[in-house]
Amino acid sequence: MKKLLLAVLPLLLFSTPSFAYTKYAVLNSTPGTIDSLTFREESSFCHPHHLTHIGPWSLRIDLSRRGICLVDKITGTLRMDDGTTIPLSYKSVGTSYGQYIIIAKRANNKWYAKITPGDVLG
């Protein structure tokens, strides 16, 4: 019985959704469109996640499961209505956090934007 439990336990731990991190959720709180976002994860067995065309003032949740991968880099592009493109970048040593907000401001006729962690699902 003990051997059976030891054989089954790893399968239960890694296949149970409750042990997986939340799906990526991104709130675009800008008047521009996010052309693309790529979530890179630190482990070689993890695959990048891609979100495309996130409209102004909208929330997008990644449909694919994230598993147990920690994100260490997010890159993307924000395109404003006037044609300006702004590179987006976020770096971490590896975080389980999966909810992000894109914010932008205009100063001296130039757009600035960044990705920041935030509770977008309430």
Side-chain angles (χ1 to χ4, degrees):
M1 183 69 171
K2 187 176 180 182
K3 288 182 182 181
L4 178 63
L5 181 61
L6 289 175
V8 173
L9 187 60
L11 295 172
L12 291 174
L13 287 175
F14 291 108
S15 64
T16 306
S18 63
F19 290 103
Y21 296 125
T22 60
K23 294 179 179 180
Y24 292 118
V26 177
L27 176 64
N28 179 6
S29 68
T30 76
T33 299
I34 299 169
D35 288 332
S36 66
L37 274 181
T38 301
F39 296 82
R40 302 214 183 270
E41 295 147 341
E42 65 179 8
S43 180
S44 61
F45 66 85
C46 296
H47 302 290
H49 288 250
H50 304 281
L51 294 176
T52 59
H53 193 74
I54 305 171
W57 318 110
S58 65
L59 174 68
R60 174 74 59 86
I61 299 173
D62 189 7
L63 297 177
S64 51
R65 294 198 180 273
R66 182 173 162 196
I68 57 169
C69 298
L70 298 174
V71 67
D72 64 349
K73 186 176 184 181
I74 304 170
T75 56
T77 305
L78 174 64
R79 183 178 31 84
M80 304 309 281
D81 289 341
D82 64 4
T84 303
T85 57
I86 305 164
L88 298 169
S89 181
Y90 175 85
K91 292 185 181 182
S92 170
V93 294
T95 182
S96 62
Y97 203 74
Q99 298 179 44
Y100 297 91
I101 301 171
I102 310 299
I103 57 174
K105 71 175 183 176
R106 191 174 190 164
N108 299 324
N109 287 328
K110 184 173 180 182
W111 282 102
Y112 299 90
K114 70 177 184 175
I115 302 171
T116 186
D119 185 7
V120 299
L121 299 176

